[in-house]
Amino acid sequence: MEKYKELADFSSKYPKIVIALGMFDGIHIGHQRIIRKAVAKAREINGTALVFSFANHPRSVIVPSTAPRRIGSDAIRFHVLRNLGVDALVEIPFTPDFAEISAADFIELLQCHFSPKYIVVGENYTFGRGGFGTPKLLQDNAASYRFSLIVCPSVMRGGAPVSSTRIRTCIANGEVSKVNEYLGYPFTINGIVIHGQKRGRRLGFPTANLALREEFEHLPNGVYAATVFYQDHLYYAASNVGNNPTFDACDRRLEVHIMGFSGDLYGAEIMVSFYKKIRNERHFPSAEALIQQIEKDKESVVCVLAENFHLQENISMVI
């Protein structure tokens, strides 16, 4: 999959473009319905499946105080789109100037840069200044701009549409199973391993530490059954989100004990995927008590992941 950060004459580069439009934060199962439809239509006409989105959330420009945290990183987004069969991703910055583009001018922009044969959107998609552009406006302009419009209905779960907002709430509440159900793949964090206090190593349980960046959503503090993907290998892992309260509290971070792995990971990039919360983070009276609990945590992780191995099959969406 090719990725572009600026607009260009994509209609000359790619034949018969089928374009999927949306912010696609997290690329949940509702987004996947839209993207799979675009990919299927592109294959049907021997064309190009292209996603047009933004590198930052529009609200970060329009109303910065209400801008949501992101569900997944650029790397996770790229992997999921590639594995869905997308041929090209055009992901440009949403700027104050772009925010002033009217709905009519946005349709003109699509024609100028993409000349799409098909446009695929969700039923709640809006575009243009003030969000006045709707699927109906696209349909009203389809004939004059010579494209066909496909509108995908929302994916429903529990009587309500799956949405990025709903997933953020589930992440904040630590509802890992719902998050993973709505995403269609395990909630995943990727990052560069940083140095910690090396207490885990001294306790006999070395950990890889990742910083938790403010612009992303994170699970509540606690211990989770997880997997780690590193250099084409998938490992079971016990992961802790928190501040290490048994010792001197540290900055909130993700610590991951990777089972069956030995080696130096400092400076390496890893992907950590979460499956179930094992317990809350808590203070232990001694290092010995903590060691005993970690052994129990590892047993719990193995049981969770072994009993739910089918859940791990969905990791292929993000690696």
Side-chain angles (χ1 to χ4, degrees):
M1 183 179 79
E2 299 293 330
K3 181 176 178 179
Y4 303 91
K5 297 182 179 181
E6 296 179 345
L7 288 172
D9 181 9
F10 295 104
S11 59
S12 296
K13 183 177 180 64
Y14 294 107
K16 301 178 183 177
I17 290 175
V18 180
I19 187 168
L21 301 176
M23 184 59 216
F24 300 131
D25 183 20
I27 317 182
H28 56 63
I29 54 178
H31 297 149
Q32 290 171 39
R33 172 177 283 182
I34 297 167
I35 294 163
R36 289 183 196 277
K37 175 63 73 172
V39 170
K41 181 57 69 174
R43 301 297 176 263
E44 179 185 319
I45 66 172
N46 294 317
T48 302
L50 186 148
V51 168
F52 179 35
S53 189
F54 299 110
N56 54 310
H57 200 286
R59 274 164 43 199
S60 68
V61 171
I62 299 170
V63 190
S65 62
T66 68
R69 291 189 176 94
R70 295 177 59 187
I71 294 171
S73 68
D74 290 342
I76 302 301
R77 179 183 175 105
F78 182 89
H79 284 295
V80 174
L81 290 174
R82 181 197 63 189
N83 292 334
L84 286 170
V86 173
D87 298 308
L89 167 64
V90 179
E91 187 180 68
I92 66 172
F94 189 89
T95 64
D97 287 341
F98 201 97
E100 291 302 313
I101 295 176
S102 69
D105 286 343
F106 181 78
I107 298 174
E108 181 66 33
L109 177 149
L110 294 178
Q111 177 63 26
C112 176
H113 293 283
F114 303 100
S115 296
K117 299 299 182 184
Y118 288 85
I119 293 177
V120 188
V121 298
E123 62 184 351
N124 297 316
Y125 177 70
T126 59
F127 59 93
R129 185 174 57 243
F132 292 123
T134 63
K136 183 181 183 304
L137 183 61
L138 286 171
Q139 187 60 66
D140 290 344
N141 284 272
S144 58
Y145 284 100
R146 299 184 300 280
F147 65 80
S148 296
L149 178 68
I150 300 174
V151 180
C152 296
S154 299
V155 173
M156 307 295 288
R157 289 291 186 274
V162 173
S163 68
S164 298
T165 299
R166 193 175 175 189
I167 291 171
R168 290 189 193 97
T169 299
C170 291
I171 293 171
N173 293 337
E175 298 174 287
V176 184
S177 61
K178 283 188 178 180
V179 172
N180 293 352
E181 177 190 354
Y182 298 163
L183 287 176
Y185 56 88
F187 178 61
T188 300
I189 293 174
N190 70 295
I192 303 299
V193 177
I194 61 175
H195 287 274
Q197 282 79 31
K198 298 182 174 60
R199 289 198 179 95
R201 186 177 302 278
R202 292 195 292 270
L203 294 173
F205 303 98
T207 60
N209 298 281
L210 298 182
L212 297 177
R213 295 163 56 187
E214 278 295 318
E215 65 265 36
F216 293 101
E217 295 287 353
H218 299 296
L219 292 165
N221 288 5
V223 176
Y224 296 84
T227 57
V228 168
F229 184 74
Y230 173 66
Q231 290 190 343
D232 296 327
H233 287 86
L234 193 66
Y235 301 90
Y236 282 8
S239 63
N240 182 80
V241 178
N243 307 87
N244 203 341
T246 299
F247 303 99
D248 296 333
C250 62
D251 293 337
R252 191 166 184 256
R253 66 182 60 178
L254 170 62
E255 296 181 89
V256 188
H257 174 62
I258 307 172
M259 301 181 195
F261 177 84
S262 61
D264 184 357
L265 285 174
Y266 293 124
E269 182 174 9
I270 63 174
M271 284 187 175
V272 183
S273 298
F274 299 87
Y275 295 88
K276 185 178 180 179
K277 187 173 183 178
I278 301 299
R279 63 173 174 84
N280 292 328
E281 185 183 46
R282 64 179 187 268
H283 179 274
F284 289 89
S286 66
E288 290 73 19
L290 176 58
I291 290 171
Q292 291 177 8
Q293 183 60 58
I294 294 174
E295 289 287 4
K296 293 178 182 178
D297 293 341
K298 289 177 62 177
E299 293 175 3
S300 297
V301 168
V302 171
C303 288
V304 167
L305 296 180
E307 292 175 1
N308 298 277
F309 187 78
H310 65 283
L311 296 176
Q312 296 172 63
E313 295 174 359
N314 289 335
I315 193 68
S316 62
M317 286 285 288
V318 293
I319 62 178

